[in-house]
Coordinates of all heavy atoms in Angstrom, one line a residue:
E495 N 229.4 223.8 26.1 CA 229.3 222.9 25.1 C 230.4 223.1 24.1 O 231.0 224.2 23.8 CB 228.0 223.1 24.2 CG 227.7 222.1 23.2 CD 226.4 222.3 22.5 OE1 225.6 223.2 22.9 OE2 226.0 221.6 21.5
L496 N 231.0 221.9 23.4 CA 232.1 222.2 22.5 C 231.5 222.2 21.0 O 230.7 221.2 20.7 CB 233.1 221.1 22.5 CG 234.2 221.4 23.5 CD1 235.4 220.3 23.3 CD2 234.8 222.7 23.3
Y497 N 231.8 223.2 20.3 CA 231.4 223.1 18.8 C 232.8 222.8 18.1 O 233.8 223.0 18.6 CB 231.0 224.6 18.4 CG 229.5 224.8 18.6 CD1 228.8 224.5 19.8 CD2 228.8 225.5 17.6 CE1 227.5 224.7 20.0 CE2 227.4 225.8 17.8 CZ 226.8 225.4 18.9 OH 225.5 225.6 19.2
Q499 N 234.9 223.2 14.3 CA 234.9 223.7 12.9 C 235.9 222.9 12.1 O 237.1 222.9 12.5 CB 235.4 225.2 12.9 CG 235.3 225.9 11.6 CD 235.7 227.4 11.7 OE1 236.5 227.8 12.4 NE2 234.9 228.2 10.8
P500 N 235.5 222.4 10.9 CA 236.4 221.6 10.1 C 237.6 222.4 9.5 O 237.4 223.6 9.2 CB 235.5 221.0 9.1 CG 234.2 221.2 9.6 CD 234.1 222.4 10.4
E513 N 238.7 222.1 14.8 CA 239.1 222.9 16.0 C 237.9 223.0 17.0 O 236.8 223.2 16.5 CB 239.4 224.3 15.5 CG 239.8 225.2 16.8 CD 240.2 226.6 16.4 OE1 240.3 227.0 15.2 OE2 240.6 227.3 17.3
A514 N 238.2 222.6 18.2 CA 237.2 222.7 19.2 C 237.0 224.1 19.7 O 238.0 224.7 20.1 CB 237.6 221.8 20.3
L515 N 235.8 224.6 19.7 CA 235.5 226.0 20.1 C 234.4 226.0 21.2 O 233.3 225.5 20.9 CB 235.1 226.9 18.9 CG 236.3 227.0 17.8 CD1 235.7 227.4 16.5 CD2 237.3 228.1 18.4
I516 N 234.7 226.6 22.2 CA 233.7 226.4 23.4 C 232.6 227.4 23.2 O 232.7 228.4 22.6 CB 234.4 226.7 24.7 CG1 233.7 226.2 25.9 CG2 234.9 228.1 24.9 CD1 234.5 226.1 27.1
R517 N 231.3 226.9 23.7 CA 230.2 227.8 23.7 C 229.6 227.6 25.1 O 229.8 226.7 25.8 CB 229.2 227.3 22.7 CG 229.7 227.5 21.2 CD 229.8 228.9 20.7 NE 230.2 229.0 19.3 CZ 231.4 229.2 19.1 NH1 232.4 229.3 19.9 NH2 231.8 229.4 17.8
L526 N 226.3 232.0 24.4 CA 227.4 233.0 24.5 C 228.7 232.4 23.7 O 229.0 231.3 23.8 CB 227.8 233.3 25.9 CG 226.7 234.0 26.7 CD1 227.3 234.3 28.1 CD2 226.3 235.3 26.1
S527 N 229.3 233.4 22.9 CA 230.5 232.9 22.2 C 231.7 233.2 23.2 O 231.7 234.0 24.1 CB 230.7 233.7 20.9 OG 230.7 235.0 21.2
P528 N 232.9 232.4 22.9 CA 234.0 232.5 23.9 C 234.5 234.0 24.1 O 235.0 234.3 25.2 CB 235.0 231.7 23.1 CG 234.6 231.3 21.8 CD 233.1 231.5 21.8
G529 N 234.4 234.8 23.1 CA 234.9 236.2 23.3 C 234.2 236.8 24.5 O 234.7 237.8 25.1
E530 N 233.0 236.3 24.9 CA 232.3 237.0 25.9 C 232.6 236.4 27.3 O 232.2 237.0 28.3 CB 230.7 236.8 25.7 CG 230.3 237.6 24.5 CD 228.9 237.4 24.1 OE1 228.6 236.4 23.3 OE2 227.9 238.1 24.6
F531 N 233.3 235.4 27.4 CA 233.7 234.9 28.7 C 235.2 234.3 28.9 O 235.7 234.4 30.0 CB 232.7 233.8 29.2 CG 232.6 232.6 28.3 CD1 233.3 231.5 28.5 CD2 231.8 232.6 27.2 CE1 233.3 230.4 27.7 CE2 231.6 231.5 26.3 CZ 232.4 230.4 26.6
I532 N 235.8 234.0 27.7 CA 237.2 233.6 27.9 C 238.2 234.6 28.4 O 238.9 234.3 29.3 CB 237.6 232.9 26.5 CG1 236.9 231.6 26.2 CG2 239.2 232.7 26.5 CD1 237.5 230.4 27.0
P533 N 238.1 235.8 27.9 CA 239.0 236.8 28.4 C 238.8 236.9 29.9 O 239.9 237.1 30.6 CB 238.7 238.1 27.7 CG 238.0 237.6 26.5 CD 237.2 236.3 26.9
A535 N 237.6 234.5 32.0 CA 238.1 233.3 32.6 C 239.7 233.3 32.7 O 240.3 232.9 33.7 CB 237.7 232.1 31.8
E536 N 240.3 233.9 31.7 CA 241.8 234.1 31.7 C 242.3 234.9 32.8 O 243.5 234.8 33.1 CB 242.2 234.5 30.4 CG 242.3 233.3 29.4 CD 242.9 233.7 28.0 OE1 242.8 234.8 27.6 OE2 243.3 232.7 27.4
I541 N 240.2 229.6 34.0 CA 240.5 229.1 32.6 C 241.1 227.7 32.6 O 240.9 226.9 31.7 CB 241.5 230.2 31.9 CG1 241.6 229.8 30.4 CG2 242.9 230.2 32.6 CD1 240.6 230.1 29.6
L544 N 238.2 225.4 33.1 CA 237.5 225.3 31.7 C 238.4 224.5 30.7 O 237.8 223.7 30.0 CB 237.4 226.8 31.3 CG 236.3 227.2 30.5 CD1 235.7 228.5 31.0 CD2 236.8 227.4 29.1
G545 N 239.7 224.8 30.7 CA 240.5 224.0 29.8 C 240.5 222.6 30.1 O 240.5 221.8 29.1
W547 N 238.1 220.9 31.2 CA 236.8 220.4 30.8 C 236.8 220.2 29.2 O 236.4 219.3 28.7 CB 235.6 221.4 31.2 CG 234.3 221.0 30.6 CD1 233.4 220.2 31.2 CD2 233.8 221.4 29.4 NE1 232.3 220.0 30.5 CE2 232.5 220.6 29.3 CE3 234.1 222.1 28.3 CZ2 231.6 220.7 28.2 CZ3 233.3 222.2 27.2 CH2 232.0 221.6 27.2
V548 N 237.4 221.2 28.6 CA 237.5 221.2 27.1 C 238.3 219.9 26.6 O 237.9 219.2 25.7 CB 238.1 222.5 26.6 CG1 238.5 222.3 25.0 CG2 237.2 223.7 26.8
L549 N 239.5 219.7 27.4 CA 240.3 218.6 26.9 C 239.6 217.2 27.1 O 239.6 216.4 26.2 CB 241.6 218.7 27.9 CG 242.5 217.4 27.9 CD1 243.2 217.5 26.6 CD2 243.5 217.5 29.0
A570 N 241.9 219.9 17.3 CA 242.8 221.0 18.0 C 242.0 221.6 19.1 O 240.8 222.0 18.9 CB 243.0 222.1 16.9
I571 N 242.7 221.8 20.2 CA 242.0 222.5 21.4 C 242.8 223.8 21.7 O 244.1 223.7 21.6 CB 241.9 221.6 22.6 CG1 243.2 221.0 23.1 CG2 240.8 220.4 22.4 CD1 243.2 220.4 24.4
N572 N 242.1 224.9 22.0 CA 242.8 226.1 22.3 C 243.2 226.0 23.8 O 242.5 225.6 24.6 CB 241.7 227.2 22.1 CG 241.4 227.4 20.6 OD1 242.2 228.0 20.0 ND2 240.2 226.9 20.3
T573 N 244.4 226.4 23.9 CA 245.0 226.3 25.3 C 245.6 227.7 25.8 O 246.0 228.4 25.0 CB 246.1 225.3 25.3 OG1 245.7 224.2 24.6 CG2 246.6 224.9 26.7
S574 N 245.4 227.9 27.1 CA 245.8 229.2 27.7 C 247.2 229.0 28.3 O 247.5 227.9 28.8 CB 244.8 229.8 28.5 OG 245.3 230.2 29.8
M575 N 248.0 230.0 28.3 CA 249.3 229.9 29.0 C 249.2 229.5 30.5 O 250.0 228.7 31.1 CB 250.0 231.2 28.9 CG 251.5 231.1 29.3 SD 252.4 230.0 28.3 CE 253.7 229.5 29.4
Q577 N 247.2 227.3 31.6 CA 247.2 225.9 31.9 C 248.6 225.3 31.7 O 248.9 224.4 32.4 CB 246.3 225.3 30.6 CG 244.8 225.7 30.7 CD 244.1 225.2 29.5 OE1 243.8 226.0 28.6 NE2 243.7 223.9 29.4
E604 N 246.6 224.2 20.5 CA 246.6 225.5 19.9 C 247.0 226.6 20.9 O 246.3 226.6 22.0 CB 245.4 226.0 19.2 CG 245.2 225.4 17.9 CD 244.0 226.1 17.1 OE1 243.6 227.1 17.5 OE2 243.5 225.4 16.2
I605 N 248.0 227.4 20.7 CA 248.3 228.4 21.7 C 248.7 229.7 20.9 O 249.3 229.6 19.9 CB 249.4 227.9 22.7 CG1 249.7 228.9 23.7 CG2 250.7 227.5 22.0 CD1 249.9 228.4 25.1
T606 N 248.3 230.9 21.4 CA 248.5 232.1 20.7 C 250.0 232.6 21.0 O 250.5 232.2 22.0 CB 247.5 233.2 21.1 OG1 247.7 233.5 22.5 CG2 246.1 232.8 20.8
D634 N 248.4 229.8 17.3 CA 247.2 230.5 16.9 C 247.2 232.0 16.6 O 248.2 232.5 17.2 CB 246.1 230.1 18.0 CG 244.7 230.2 17.6 OD1 244.5 230.4 16.4 OD2 243.8 229.9 18.3
D635 N 246.4 232.5 15.8 CA 246.3 233.9 15.6 C 247.7 234.4 15.1 O 248.1 235.5 15.5 CB 245.8 234.7 16.8 CG 244.5 234.2 17.3 OD1 243.9 233.4 16.5 OD2 244.1 234.6 18.4
F636 N 248.4 233.6 14.3 CA 249.8 234.0 14.0 C 249.9 235.3 13.2 O 249.0 235.6 12.3 CB 250.5 232.9 13.2 CG 251.9 233.2 12.9 CD1 252.8 233.1 13.9 CD2 252.2 233.7 11.6 CE1 254.1 233.4 13.6 CE2 253.6 234.1 11.4 CZ 254.5 234.0 12.4
K655 N 248.8 229.0 12.3 CA 247.4 229.4 11.9 C 247.4 230.9 11.6 O 247.5 231.8 12.6 CB 246.5 229.0 13.0 CG 246.4 227.5 13.3 CD 245.2 227.2 14.2 CE 243.8 227.2 13.4 NZ 242.8 226.9 14.2
I656 N 247.3 231.2 10.4 CA 247.3 232.6 10.0 C 246.1 233.3 10.5 O 245.0 232.9 10.2 CB 247.4 232.8 8.5 CG1 248.6 232.0 7.9 CG2 247.6 234.2 8.0 CD1 248.7 232.0 6.4
D657 N 246.2 234.4 11.2 CA 245.1 235.0 11.8 C 244.1 235.6 10.8 O 244.4 236.0 9.7 CB 245.5 236.2 12.7 CG 244.4 236.8 13.4 OD1 244.0 236.1 14.3 OD2 244.0 238.0 13.4
R658 N 242.8 235.5 11.3 CA 241.7 235.8 10.4 C 241.8 237.3 9.9 O 241.3 237.7 8.8 CB 240.4 235.8 11.3 CG 239.1 236.1 10.6 CD 238.0 235.3 11.3 NE 237.9 235.6 12.7 CZ 237.2 236.6 13.2 NH1 236.5 237.3 12.4 NH2 237.1 236.7 14.5
I661 N 243.3 237.3 6.6 CA 242.6 236.6 5.6 C 241.4 237.6 5.1 O 241.1 237.7 4.0 CB 242.0 235.3 6.1 CG1 243.1 234.5 6.7 CG2 241.2 234.6 5.0 CD1 244.2 234.1 5.8
S662 N 240.8 238.3 6.1 CA 239.7 239.1 5.6 C 240.2 240.3 4.8 O 239.4 240.9 4.0 CB 238.9 239.7 6.9 OG 239.9 240.5 7.7
A690 N 245.0 228.6 7.2 CA 244.4 230.0 7.1 C 243.0 230.0 7.9 O 242.2 229.2 7.5 CB 244.2 230.3 5.6
E691 N 242.9 230.9 8.8 CA 241.7 230.9 9.5 C 240.8 232.0 9.0 O 241.2 233.0 8.4 CB 242.1 231.4 11.0 CG 242.8 230.4 11.8 CD 242.9 231.0 13.3 OE1 243.5 232.0 13.5 OE2 242.3 230.3 14.2
G692 N 239.4 231.7 9.2 CA 238.5 232.8 8.8 C 238.3 233.0 7.4 O 238.1 234.2 6.9
V693 N 238.4 231.9 6.5 CA 238.2 232.0 5.1 C 236.7 232.1 4.8 O 235.9 231.1 5.1 CB 238.9 230.9 4.3 CG1 238.7 231.0 2.9 CG2 240.3 230.8 4.7
E694 N 236.3 233.2 4.3 CA 234.8 233.4 4.1 C 234.4 233.3 2.7 O 233.2 233.1 2.4 CB 234.4 234.7 4.7 CG 234.5 234.8 6.3 CD 234.0 236.0 7.0 OE1 233.6 237.0 6.1 OE2 233.9 236.0 8.1
T695 N 235.3 233.6 1.7 CA 234.8 233.7 0.3 C 235.6 232.9 -0.5 O 236.8 232.4 -0.2 CB 234.9 235.1 -0.2 OG1 236.3 235.4 -0.2 CG2 234.2 236.1 0.7
Q698 N 238.9 234.6 -1.5 CA 240.0 234.4 -0.5 C 240.6 233.0 -0.6 O 241.8 232.8 -0.6 CB 239.4 234.5 1.0 CG 239.1 236.0 1.2 CD 238.3 236.1 2.5 OE1 237.8 235.1 3.1 NE2 237.9 237.3 2.9
Q711 N 240.3 227.0 7.0 CA 239.3 226.9 8.0 C 238.4 228.1 7.9 O 239.0 229.2 7.9 CB 239.9 226.7 9.4 CG 239.0 226.5 10.5 CD 239.7 226.5 11.8 OE1 241.0 226.3 11.9 NE2 239.0 226.8 12.9
G712 N 237.1 228.0 7.8 CA 236.3 229.3 7.8 C 234.9 229.0 7.4 O 234.5 227.9 6.9
Y713 N 234.2 230.1 7.4 CA 232.7 230.0 7.1 C 232.5 229.5 5.7 O 231.5 229.1 5.2 CB 232.1 231.3 7.4 CG 231.9 231.8 8.7 CD1 231.5 233.1 9.1 CD2 232.4 230.9 9.8 CE1 231.5 233.5 10.5 CE2 232.4 231.4 11.1 CZ 231.9 232.6 11.4 OH 231.8 233.0 12.7
H714 N 233.5 229.8 4.7 CA 233.4 229.4 3.4 C 233.0 228.0 3.3 O 232.2 227.6 2.5 CB 234.6 229.8 2.6 CG 234.6 229.3 1.2 ND1 233.6 229.8 0.3 CD2 235.3 228.4 0.5 CE1 233.8 229.3 -0.9 NE2 234.8 228.4 -0.8
Y715 N 233.7 227.2 4.1 CA 233.3 225.7 4.1 C 232.3 225.4 5.2 O 231.3 224.7 4.9 CB 234.6 224.9 4.2 CG 235.3 224.7 3.0 CD1 236.4 225.4 2.7 CD2 234.9 223.8 2.1 CE1 237.2 225.2 1.5 CE2 235.5 223.6 0.8 CZ 236.6 224.2 0.6 OH 237.3 224.1 -0.7
C716 N 232.6 225.9 6.4 CA 231.7 225.4 7.4 C 231.8 226.3 8.6 O 233.0 226.6 9.1 CB 232.1 224.0 7.7 SG 231.0 223.2 8.9
K717 N 230.8 226.8 9.3 CA 230.8 227.4 10.6 C 231.1 226.4 11.7 O 230.8 225.2 11.4 CB 229.5 228.1 10.8 CG 229.3 229.3 9.9 CD 228.2 230.2 10.4 CE 228.2 231.5 9.7 NZ 227.2 232.4 10.1
P718 N 231.5 226.9 12.9 CA 231.6 225.9 14.0 C 230.2 225.2 14.3 O 229.2 225.8 14.1 CB 231.9 226.8 15.2 CG 232.6 228.0 14.5 CD 232.0 228.2 13.2
Q719 N 230.2 223.9 14.4 CA 229.1 223.1 14.5 C 229.0 222.4 15.8 O 230.0 222.0 16.4 CB 229.1 222.0 13.4 CG 229.5 222.4 12.1 CD 228.2 222.8 11.3 OE1 227.3 222.1 11.3 NE2 228.3 224.0 10.6
Ligands
C2E1 P1 240.5 231.1 17.5 O1 241.1 229.9 18.2 O2 241.3 231.8 16.6 O3 239.2 230.5 16.7 C1 238.8 230.9 15.6 C2 237.6 231.9 15.7 O4 237.3 232.4 14.5 C3 236.4 231.2 16.2 O5 235.7 232.1 17.0 C4 235.6 230.8 15.0 O6 234.3 230.7 15.1 C5 235.8 232.1 14.2 N1 235.8 231.9 12.8 C6 236.2 230.8 12.1 N2 235.9 230.9 10.7 C7 235.5 232.2 10.6 C8 235.1 232.9 9.4 O7 235.1 232.4 8.4 N3 234.7 234.2 9.7 C9 234.6 234.7 11.0 N4 234.2 236.0 11.1 N5 234.9 234.0 12.0 C10 235.4 232.7 11.8 P2 235.0 231.7 18.4 O8 234.4 230.4 18.3 O9 234.2 232.9 18.7 O10 236.4 231.8 19.3 C11 237.0 232.9 19.5 C12 238.3 232.6 20.3 O11 238.1 232.1 21.6 C13 239.2 231.5 19.6 O12 239.8 232.1 18.6 C14 240.0 231.1 20.8 O13 241.1 232.0 20.9 C15 239.1 231.3 22.0 N6 238.6 230.0 22.4 C16 237.5 229.3 21.9 N7 237.4 228.1 22.5 C17 238.3 228.1 23.4 C18 238.7 227.1 24.5 O14 238.1 226.0 24.5 N8 239.7 227.4 25.3 C19 240.3 228.7 25.2 N9 241.4 228.9 26.0 N10 240.1 229.6 24.2 C20 239.0 229.3 23.3

Side-chain angles (χ1 to χ4, degrees):
E495 187 177 356
L496 271 192
Y497 274 42
Q499 189 175 33
E513 178 173 6
L515 294 159
I516 197 165
R517 300 286 181 266
L526 296 184
S527 58
E530 292 172 274
F531 57 94
I532 288 283
E536 277 183 335
I541 191 71
L544 209 135
W547 179 87
V548 170
L549 173 68
I571 58 169
N572 292 285
T573 313
S574 129
M575 190 60 209
Q577 290 174 262
E604 278 191 20
I605 183 138
T606 63
D634 205 356
D635 303 349
F636 183 74
K655 298 193 73 181
I656 309 175
D657 189 62
R658 182 153 57 90
I661 309 301
S662 60
E691 293 189 291
V693 181
E694 291 184 351
T695 65
Q698 290 164 354
Q711 179 183 342
Y713 295 173
H714 175 63
Y715 275 105
C716 188
K717 288 195 169 181
Q719 311 272 315

